Amino acid sequence: MEQMKVVLNDDEMPTQWYNIQADLPTPMSPPLHPGTGQPVGPDDLAPIFPMNLIEQEVSQQRWIDIPEEVLAKYLIWRPTPLCRARNFEKLLDAPVKIYYKNEGYSPAGSHKPNTAIPQAYYNKISGIKRIATETGAGQWGSALSMACQMFGLECRVFMVKVSYEQKPYRRLMMKTWGAECIASPSTLTEAGRQVLAEHPDSPGSLGIAISEAVEDAVTHDNSRYSLGSVLNHVLMHQTIIGLEAKKQLEKLGVYPDVVLGCAGGGSNLGGIALPFVCDKIHGKNVTTIAAEPTSCPTLTRGPFAYDFGDLAKKTPLLPMYTLGHDYVPAPIHAGGLRYHGMAPIISHLVKEGLMEARAYNQLDTFDAGVKWARSEGFIPAPETNHVIAAVVEEARRAKEEGKEKVILFNWSGHGLVDLAAYDAFFEGKLLPYELPEEEIQRALKATNGFPRP
Amino acid sequence: MEQMKVVLNDDEMPTQWYNIQADLPTPMSPPLHPGTGQPVGPDDLAPIFPMNLIEQEVSQQRWIDIPEEVLAKYLIWRPTPLCRARNFEKLLDAPVKIYYKNEGYSPAGSHKPNTAIPQAYYNKISGIKRIATETGAGQWGSALSMACQMFGLECRVFMVKVSYEQKPYRRLMMKTWGAECIASPSTLTEAGRQVLAEHPDSPGSLGIAISEAVEDAVTHDNSRYSLGSVLNHVLMHQTIIGLEAKKQLEKLGVYPDVVLGCAGGGSNLGGIALPFVCDKIHGKNVTTIAAEPTSCPTLTRGPFAYDFGDLAKKTPLLPMYTLGHDYVPAPIHAGGLRYHGMAPIISHLVKEGLMEARAYNQLDTFDAGVKWARSEGFIPAPETNHVIAAVVEEARRAKEEGKEKVILFNWSGHGLVDLAAYDAFFEGKLLPYELPEEEIQRALKATNGFPRP
């Protein structure tokens, strides 16, 4: 019988997160205060995040211990299996071995709880009573709702209105886990009311929802804000994925040629790839690839610039690839990839040539996702379909080159609450969405960023 | 760090199913031909099922080898972990250790693929090209759609109309896996047309949908029918759950005092419980418990009788507890438990005192399910909420008696496509649904069955 997967026992789960800041050949640029233009200090961030998370955000320490209480919650579903996609390999008929981490096994159905749980924990032990956050398609909002429930915190989620209406199951998950889910823009915040005054029918955007959540957090007692991607500490929490995968591949005596993840804010990609980028920095021959949508091609076409994380310019200025903080991406079903910016860590790695990026259009991603579902069974999230499209491309290249290749990717989540998107695909109602060149020119102007070489 | 679960490697997965017919102290009564009243022979069943499955249905062999091709598909997600519900234990504050098999990890989200895959396989190697089946809430229909896709068979699913309309995500799963899903009653069959002629607005029922699927199978070339529960071979395929659990508990040096499953047709319950009933027959002290809905209390209140599996009386007469083949259960959200009859194996065990049964009303089951979701994270299917309610009761009893107890149960599936039911629960719109006594009298009359002691 052929081996299909590698599982780890509870006591084999990594007990530390990996912080790539300790290994970067060139340091990252710091976030800047939007008022002064100076690097932000811990005190600037204190109204938004608890101090223990701020310390993690700026830490240069290579390994950070995962607290016992967080490990105990991780163990509800972690370590996730490392699976071999033998049926998909047969379908592709290429000289590749494809391994994937199934992060859809978490209770929320994605990788998001890997950071939701420690974030809720660190807020809890800091004496915080409630957390506000935003969510696009709802993966992050549902994960944080669950984590807050587990640690006895109140949770308010501002959900982008168009998703709030299109994805009722996601907000029902939040309700089941005891959180409050608000359609954004809302009348609960100044930021929301401003948008509604100008655009009463606004479908919302992640940028608006972040503004609302930050404002909500700083205007309520004992409240803080929580972000599900982009920031350094978030990517660090996600490295549990890649660290597990490494252990599992070691058991097979295998090392990957290529490591891939889809990229919206960059957290699931960072989670699987950063431990391998570490090896690359230390001389190992491994390629890491970000798969993003052509409708929101931040890494492949956006300028590198200091830009805001949100529409209302409430966040620090982050050094990243960006399409401009006021950019509203096309309504692709991969809501988790509709973000104008990108994690500074991922942006830095791409800029320094330590990571590659490719973009895929919506139709190709669903085509890849359906092929996956019909061979491997599991129905992927629309976001995950992007990395599957990249795997298909890698396999095709390997075949053309006649070169054997070991592929590892992060199967970031299942699509069981996104099935309407599959229906639209089968009915021929999906658009590919390629970004016109003038949008890139607009982004360059808006961000005052550096044009791409 | 406290251990939360036991995983098995691929090569530790059981390679045989367990057939309890080899161990029964008294033999089961045979199914009868509806026309002759004589025991049905293999030839009577040949138009409906392939011969290899008919042989399994009547086999008295204790262990049946699982074919390599089936093992390979099982390994996509099996063995499932045996998990300790430490957070739920703390909430219940009772002297119990609670272990559960998480069958929600399958691509279809429930235990159903455990039999869908071998059924598709055995049909395939018999030269069958297409399978027709019925589904209530859609768990079975989606699992069989996936299995047929994996083995290159066509699949047509008759889905009870009320569920077809209420649970669009389930039928979208079937579509994604390439199957055809038809609302039942339909105009495609004589059985469906008859119902529609009398009741144009019929919401459908499992009994009607079975009639349609059987008729569809016998009137198409190279087609057979497939049933997702009730039959002996179906329960046998599901024993992989209990056999894995036994291995996993052995690794902990633990043996359960109580083994529980929710019961609709009886397959997930049989799957986890039959290997332990085997021990009980051979002298071990273990209690197995079926948890059913008060709206469809087949095992706790129905008469034992020979009854049909479907409304149109197309199936053989089965010896079982039943509420009458024309009984239409209340519209509870646990669609998978809305069946008038019960697996002959389960019925026989309850009749012989080898298994117990208890009924829970819908409100108590959702209350238990929400408690579970808020402590253990995973959101259970409405069916699964019934067994969780039974676990809550077992824990309460243990506390009252001051007795330590080891509980094992089958977490049969997740509720991510049933979240509308949770919403109805939170909004106070769910009814408990207790069956009035006159319905039992009607069932007694309808089935000409034996009244309960």
Side-chain angles (χ1 to χ4, degrees):
Chain A
M1 213 157 49
E2 291 178 317
Q3 189 173 3
M4 296 292 283
K5 64 187 144 358
V6 181
V7 291
L8 296 177
N9 293 320
D10 284 10
D11 57 11
E12 294 176 291
M13 187 171 75
T15 56
Q16 297 183 309
W17 293 300
Y18 169 63
N19 181 7
I20 197 165
Q21 293 193 67
D23 286 304
L24 291 176
T26 54
M28 294 166 61
S29 309
L32 301 181
H33 191 287
T36 66
Q38 294 301 306
V40 290
D43 289 349
D44 297 320
L45 298 171
I48 306 181
F49 299 111
M51 198 49 74
N52 42 22
L53 284 174
I54 295 171
E55 283 162 13
Q56 286 190 355
E57 183 66 16
V58 298
S59 170
Q60 300 291 316
Q61 201 180 316
R62 182 171 288 112
W63 297 101
I64 307 269
D65 287 339
I66 307 177
E68 283 284 327
E69 293 82 347
V70 172
L71 290 171
K73 301 298 179 197
Y74 275 180
L75 285 175
I76 290 176
W77 77 98
R78 300 206 76 85
T80 58
L82 177 84
C83 305
R84 174 96 181 260
R86 289 190 189 271
N87 300 290
F88 196 57
E89 286 173 16
K90 271 175 212 142
L91 189 76
L92 298 179
D93 187 28
V96 293
K97 288 180 183 162
I98 302 174
Y99 297 93
Y100 69 99
K101 282 290 274 184
N102 189 337
E103 291 295 308
Y105 276 154
S106 84
S110 81
H111 64 291
K112 290 292 187 190
N114 297 334
T115 185
I117 284 173
Q119 288 197 49
Y121 168 77
Y122 286 117
N123 274 280
K124 174 75 176 182
I125 61 167
S126 303
I128 304 305
K129 304 288 183 206
R130 80 188 265 294
I131 296 182
T133 196
E134 77 293 327
T135 197
Q139 296 269 21
W140 168 243
S142 55
L144 189 67
S145 300
M146 180 186 77
C148 284
Q149 176 64 237
M150 286 178 168
F151 288 106
L153 296 170
E154 284 178 50
C155 182
R156 176 180 279 176
V157 181
F158 291 89
M159 184 170 184
V160 175
K161 194 182 272 169
V162 57
S163 295
Y164 183 92
E165 281 157 8
Q166 278 176 358
K167 298 186 189 261
Y169 280 40
R170 278 280 163 203
R171 61 179 150 93
L172 290 177
M173 287 170 80
M174 299 180 219
K175 193 171 176 179
T176 303
W177 283 316
E180 189 187 7
C181 180
I182 311 278
S184 166
S186 78
T187 55
L188 296 181
T189 66
E190 187 52 36
R193 287 188 294 268
Q194 276 184 18
V195 173
L196 289 173
E198 279 185 53
H199 308 284
D201 297 328
S202 167
S205 76
L206 263 181
I208 299 168
I210 295 177
S211 297
E212 288 209 272
V214 172
E215 179 184 332
D216 183 283
V218 299
T219 55
H220 282 81
D221 286 342
N222 278 320
S223 292
R224 289 295 182 277
Y225 167 72
S226 174
L227 188 61
S229 191
V230 178
L231 298 179
N232 301 342
H233 68 275
V234 177
L235 271 64
M236 187 186 74
H237 296 157
Q238 293 291 354
T239 59
I240 184 93
I241 303 170
L243 295 170
E244 283 179 8
K246 261 190 155 176
K247 271 199 177 187
Q248 289 163 317
L249 287 170
E250 270 166 30
K251 289 198 178 205
L252 294 171
V254 167
Y255 193 87
D257 298 297
V258 199
V259 180
L260 308 99
C262 60
S267 78
N268 98 75
L269 166 67
I272 196 150
L274 296 185
F276 294 94
V277 174
C278 170
D279 293 349
K280 188 180 179 70
I281 290 170
H282 294 102
K284 197 106 183 170
N285 188 14
V286 56
T287 304
T288 57
I289 299 175
E292 63 180 11
T294 52
S295 57
C296 192
T298 318
L299 284 171
T300 49
R301 298 179 63 200
F304 189 90
Y306 266 109
D307 197 5
F308 295 97
D310 71 326
L311 180 68
K313 309 184 187 179
K314 285 182 186 291
T315 71
L317 286 156
L318 297 174
M320 59 183 179
Y321 287 103
T322 173
L323 297 167
H325 63 271
D326 57 349
Y327 174 62
V328 179
I332 56 168
H333 285 269
L337 307 185
R338 292 180 69 237
Y339 186 60
H340 67 275
M342 181 57 64
I345 287 178
I346 301 294
S347 298
H348 183 78
L349 294 175
V350 170
K351 190 164 66 74
E352 299 290 315
L354 289 165
M355 186 180 276
E356 297 179 17
R358 296 188 197 147
Y360 298 91
N361 80 53
Q362 186 165 241
L363 292 184
D364 290 343
T365 64
F366 271 87
D367 182 67
V370 169
K371 285 196 173 86
W372 178 274
R374 290 186 177 180
S375 56
E376 292 294 329
F378 293 102
I379 299 174
E383 291 83 359
T384 311
N385 285 344
H386 288 72
V387 68
I388 297 173
V391 169
V392 171
E393 187 183 356
E394 276 302 297
R396 186 179 49 70
R397 289 188 186 191
K399 196 173 179 176
E400 284 168 8
E401 298 168 12
K403 241 171 75 181
E404 290 190 7
K405 215 178 261 182
V406 175
I407 296 172
L408 168 68
F409 79 98
N410 195 26
W411 201 88
S412 54
H414 65 65
L416 296 182
V417 286
D418 305 284
L419 284 163
Y422 282 86
D423 201 28
F425 174 66
F426 292 128
E427 300 299 324
K429 290 179 186 159
L430 287 195
L431 296 175
Y433 291 122
E434 307 270 356
L435 200 67
E437 181 56 29
E438 53 265 33
E439 283 288 338
I440 301 300
Q441 295 307 321
R442 187 203 51 76
L444 263 169
K445 237 165 142 180
T447 62
N448 202 16
F450 303 98
R452 302 187 71 86
Chain B
M1 212 157 49
E2 292 178 318
Q3 190 173 4
M4 296 292 284
K5 62 186 148 354
V6 181
V7 292
L8 295 177
N9 291 321
D10 284 10
D11 58 10
E12 295 176 291
M13 188 170 74
T15 57
Q16 299 183 310
W17 293 301
Y18 169 63
N19 180 7
I20 199 165
Q21 292 191 68
D23 285 305
L24 291 175
T26 54
M28 292 166 61
S29 310
L32 301 181
H33 192 286
T36 66
Q38 293 300 306
V40 291
D43 289 349
D44 296 319
L45 298 172
I48 307 180
F49 300 111
M51 197 49 75
N52 41 21
L53 284 175
I54 295 172
E55 283 163 12
Q56 286 191 356
E57 182 66 17
V58 299
S59 170
Q60 301 291 314
Q61 203 180 312
R62 183 171 288 111
W63 296 102
I64 308 268
D65 287 338
I66 307 176
E68 282 284 328
E69 293 85 345
V70 173
L71 290 173
K73 300 297 181 199
Y74 274 180
L75 284 177
I76 291 177
W77 77 97
R78 302 206 72 85
T80 58
L82 176 82
C83 305
R84 174 97 182 261
R86 289 192 190 267
N87 300 290
F88 196 57
E89 287 174 14
K90 271 175 211 142
L91 189 76
L92 299 179
D93 186 29
V96 292
K97 287 180 184 165
I98 302 174
Y99 296 93
Y100 68 100
K101 283 291 274 185
N102 190 339
E103 292 294 308
Y105 277 155
S106 83
S110 78
H111 63 292
K112 291 292 186 191
N114 297 334
T115 185
I117 284 172
Q119 288 196 50
Y121 168 77
Y122 286 117
N123 274 281
K124 174 76 176 180
I125 61 167
S126 301
I128 303 304
K129 304 286 182 210
R130 80 187 265 295
I131 297 182
T133 195
E134 78 293 327
T135 197
Q139 296 269 19
W140 168 244
S142 55
L144 189 68
S145 301
M146 179 185 78
C148 284
Q149 176 65 237
M150 285 177 169
F151 288 106
L153 296 170
E154 284 177 51
C155 181
R156 176 178 280 177
V157 181
F158 291 89
M159 185 171 185
V160 175
K161 193 181 273 170
V162 57
S163 294
Y164 183 93
E165 283 157 6
Q166 279 176 355
K167 296 182 191 265
Y169 280 40
R170 278 280 164 207
R171 62 178 150 93
L172 290 178
M173 286 169 80
M174 300 180 218
K175 193 170 176 179
T176 303
W177 283 316
E180 188 187 8
C181 180
I182 310 278
S184 165
S186 78
T187 54
L188 296 181
T189 66
E190 188 52 38
R193 288 187 293 269
Q194 274 182 20
V195 173
L196 288 173
E198 279 185 52
H199 308 284
D201 297 328
S202 167
S205 75
L206 263 181
I208 298 168
I210 294 176
S211 297
E212 288 208 272
V214 172
E215 180 184 331
D216 182 283
V218 300
T219 54
H220 283 81
D221 286 343
N222 279 322
S223 292
R224 290 294 182 279
Y225 166 74
S226 174
L227 188 60
S229 189
V230 178
L231 298 178
N232 301 341
H233 68 274
V234 178
L235 272 64
M236 188 186 74
H237 296 157
Q238 294 290 357
T239 59
I240 184 94
I241 304 170
L243 295 170
E244 284 179 6
K246 260 189 157 175
K247 271 200 177 184
Q248 289 163 316
L249 287 170
E250 270 166 29
K251 290 199 176 203
L252 294 172
V254 166
Y255 194 87
D257 298 296
V258 198
V259 180
L260 308 101
C262 62
S267 78
N268 99 75
L269 166 68
I272 195 152
L274 296 183
F276 293 94
V277 174
C278 168
D279 292 349
K280 188 182 178 72
I281 290 169
H282 294 102
K284 197 101 182 174
N285 187 15
V286 55
T287 304
T288 57
I289 300 175
E292 63 180 11
T294 52
S295 57
C296 194
T298 318
L299 284 171
T300 48
R301 297 177 64 198
F304 189 90
Y306 267 109
D307 198 6
F308 295 97
D310 71 326
L311 179 68
K313 306 183 188 180
K314 284 182 188 290
T315 72
L317 287 156
L318 298 174
M320 59 183 179
Y321 287 103
T322 173
L323 297 167
H325 63 270
D326 57 349
Y327 174 63
V328 179
I332 56 168
H333 285 270
L337 307 185
R338 293 179 68 235
Y339 186 60
H340 68 275
M342 180 58 64
I345 287 178
I346 300 293
S347 298
H348 183 79
L349 293 175
V350 170
K351 190 163 67 72
E352 299 290 316
L354 289 165
M355 187 179 276
E356 297 179 17
R358 297 188 197 146
Y360 298 91
N361 79 54
Q362 184 164 244
L363 292 185
D364 289 343
T365 64
F366 271 88
D367 181 67
V370 170
K371 284 196 173 85
W372 178 274
R374 292 186 175 181
S375 55
E376 292 294 330
F378 293 102
I379 299 175
E383 292 82 0
T384 311
N385 286 345
H386 288 73
V387 68
I388 297 173
V391 169
V392 171
E393 186 182 359
E394 276 301 297
R396 190 178 47 71
R397 288 189 188 191
K399 196 171 178 177
E400 284 168 7
E401 296 167 11
K403 244 172 74 181
E404 289 188 7
K405 217 179 260 182
V406 174
I407 296 173
L408 168 68
F409 79 98
N410 195 26
W411 201 88
S412 55
H414 65 64
L416 295 183
V417 285
D418 305 284
L419 283 165
Y422 281 86
D423 201 28
F425 174 67
F426 291 128
E427 301 298 324
K429 289 178 187 161
L430 287 194
L431 296 175
Y433 290 122
E434 305 273 354
L435 200 68
E437 181 56 30
E438 54 264 33
E439 282 289 338
I440 301 299
Q441 296 307 320
R442 187 202 51 75
L444 264 168
K445 237 163 142 180
T447 62
N448 203 16
F450 302 99
R452 302 186 72 86

